[in-house]
Amino acid sequence: MQTTVPPGQDIVTWDVLDELVAGLADRLRGERFDLMLAITRGGLVPAGMLAYRLGIRNILVAAVEYYDDEGQPGPHPTFLQFPADSQLRGQQILVVDEVWDSGTTIHAVIERIRQAGGIPTTVVLHWKPTHSVVPGTPDVHAVTTDAWVVYPFKAGG
């Protein structure tokens, strides 16, 4: 079940994070994925938790820099690390990030997967539809919100 959170600030505890990941796993159970692609940095923790619940062992990482130190988006994403096309071609790929805010980072990742011949399915903990500036929506998400989300694995969280 998806939840809608009112505007403001959403403080996610470790227990709540576990519940959100469990709900996502339940919705994804039965789907076949050849591998998981975690988007750093925010997607690493939920990706690891989800991988255990879904029994996925093949986990790759996409390190993408789109925002500066003040949180402002840059003109284009910079791929600091990304799997080779040969690792993605023909693969069913579960792409995991913590939040779909503007959507620019995850959109850049799924476009690059498609160009490599992979088939992406996106999953995020939080989706902010009013903030999104890219076409599409996450394939699976746990919460729809406009709140500033604070995760327990981020500094100060």
Side-chain angles (χ1 to χ4, degrees):
M1 180 175 137
Q2 293 169 188
T3 308
T4 300
V5 176
Q9 192 174 73
D10 184 6
I11 308 295
V12 178
T13 65
W14 284 108
D15 287 340
V16 169
L17 177 63
D18 189 54
E19 290 172 14
L20 294 177
V21 171
L24 292 171
D26 287 344
R27 293 174 56 204
L28 292 164
R29 204 168 317 285
E31 299 286 327
R32 183 185 71 80
F33 299 104
D34 299 305
L35 62 94
M36 177 182 283
L37 182 64
I39 299 176
T40 68
R41 292 173 300 193
L44 288 175
V45 172
M49 294 171 72
L50 195 54
Y52 272 108
R53 289 184 178 271
L54 295 176
I56 298 174
R57 292 183 177 271
N58 189 4
I59 305 168
L60 303 175
V61 175
V64 185
E65 185 176 67
Y66 210 103
Y67 293 89
D68 63 20
D69 291 338
E70 285 78 45
Q72 298 302 310
H76 304 288
T78 301
F79 290 92
L80 305 172
Q81 178 180 329
F82 203 83
D85 288 0
S86 61
Q87 293 179 288
L88 305 176
R89 193 171 301 113
Q91 302 296 299
Q92 294 285 341
I93 303 164
L94 184 60
V95 181
V96 183
D97 207 355
E98 88 281 29
V99 64
W100 180 308
D101 194 322
S102 70
T104 51
T105 300
I106 200 163
H107 187 262
V109 168
I110 61 176
E111 285 304 308
R112 188 139 172 202
I113 290 169
R114 288 182 178 135
Q115 289 170 1
I119 303 103
T121 298
T122 55
V123 61
V124 296
L125 297 170
H126 291 86
W127 176 42
K128 298 182 178 185
T130 62
H131 295 203
S132 187
V133 297
V134 297
T137 62
D139 294 308
V140 181
H141 66 283
V143 178
T144 302
T145 186
D146 283 324
W148 178 259
V149 183
V150 180
Y151 296 99
F153 49 84
K154 289 190 176 181

